[in-house]
Amino acid sequence: MASRSAIVFLLGLAFTAGGCDRQSPGSGQATAAADNAIAPDEVVATKPAQGKAGAVDRAQHGTAAINAAFTGPDGKLAKLADFRGKPVLLNLWATWCAPCVKELPSLDALAARSGDRVKVVAVSQDMDQAKVAPFVTARRLHRIQPYTDPQMNLSLGYRVNLPTTILFDSKGREVWRVSGAMDWASPEARKLIQEAL
């Protein structure tokens, strides 16, 4: 009986450790500009590179993108291979994930800044895909399109938690990935994006 209790305890611990969650509540005294900044206490990763949340992981560098299908804003199936020919920044997020939502405005700004040089593909992992387009509209995200993956093919295929962002070069090979939220307007993020250009 003691071993059964230990197994239940370990499974419960693994469940609570995995997935998207805020580490600690915010102070509530931030300005409007600071509301869009990524606070260190909101960066989450269950498998961070080198033991640090938000660290850049290059372990899969050169690996081809998986062939998982997701739904485009037009309702048709899409794959990462459809974007080959230019670098792709894949962001896996969900409407219920606080760090994901926090980083979306800076990701939207990155998409506007990058123009045609880098394709930003933000794919919601929400199981109810009907809520994604209204969510994107309500948040006034102008460049992020409502790609959806209700089967979670991408997050399961890459074995990652949310948010996770993966940069692919123009040939569809992984350059790096970041588990956890990131400020995509930061100088560090700009330098990272340059690696695929």
Side-chain angles (χ1 to χ4, degrees):
M1 190 63 123
S3 64
R4 180 179 278 176
S5 297
I7 291 170
V8 170
F9 173 75
L10 290 174
L11 286 173
L13 184 62
F15 180 74
T16 57
C20 179
D21 194 278
R22 284 176 71 119
Q23 298 274 330
S24 63
S27 67
Q29 297 180 3
T31 63
D35 284 344
N36 290 333
I38 305 301
D41 67 337
E42 293 174 322
V43 176
V44 177
T46 58
K47 293 188 224 172
Q50 296 132 19
K52 185 177 176 187
V56 177
D57 180 358
R58 299 177 191 281
Q60 302 300 318
H61 181 82
T63 304
I66 63 174
N67 200 28
F70 51 95
T71 306
D74 58 1
K76 296 179 182 175
L77 288 182
K79 295 183 179 182
L80 290 170
D82 297 340
F83 303 103
R84 203 162 286 154
K86 66 174 63 177
V88 173
L89 187 71
L90 171 68
N91 179 266
L92 302 177
W93 68 284
T95 60
W96 46 262
C97 170
C100 301
V101 172
K102 192 76 166 179
E103 78 174 342
L104 284 175
S106 71
L107 191 65
D108 192 59
L110 171 66
R113 241 186 359 264
S114 297
D116 291 333
R117 294 180 312 135
V118 176
K119 176 68 175 170
V120 176
V121 181
V123 184
S124 167
Q125 302 296 284
D126 284 275
M127 293 170 74
D128 180 3
Q129 63 188 54
K131 66 170 57 173
V132 178
F135 182 89
V136 168
T137 301
R139 296 280 172 170
R140 295 186 179 114
L141 302 171
H142 303 292
R143 295 299 298 245
I144 290 178
Q145 297 178 346
Y147 289 95
T148 59
D149 182 12
Q151 303 301 318
M152 297 175 278
N153 293 322
L154 291 168
S155 58
L156 292 172
Y158 283 110
R159 298 180 183 162
V160 296
N161 289 318
L162 305 179
T164 292
T165 305
I166 306 173
L167 180 67
F168 296 95
D169 65 18
S170 61
K171 295 180 181 176
R173 296 176 305 210
E174 185 169 329
V175 178
W176 50 254
R177 68 178 65 179
V178 173
S179 295
M182 185 167 199
D183 180 359
W184 295 103
S186 70
E188 295 82 8
R190 291 175 193 233
K191 186 175 178 183
L192 286 168
I193 298 296
Q194 289 296 319
E195 292 184 30
L197 298 176

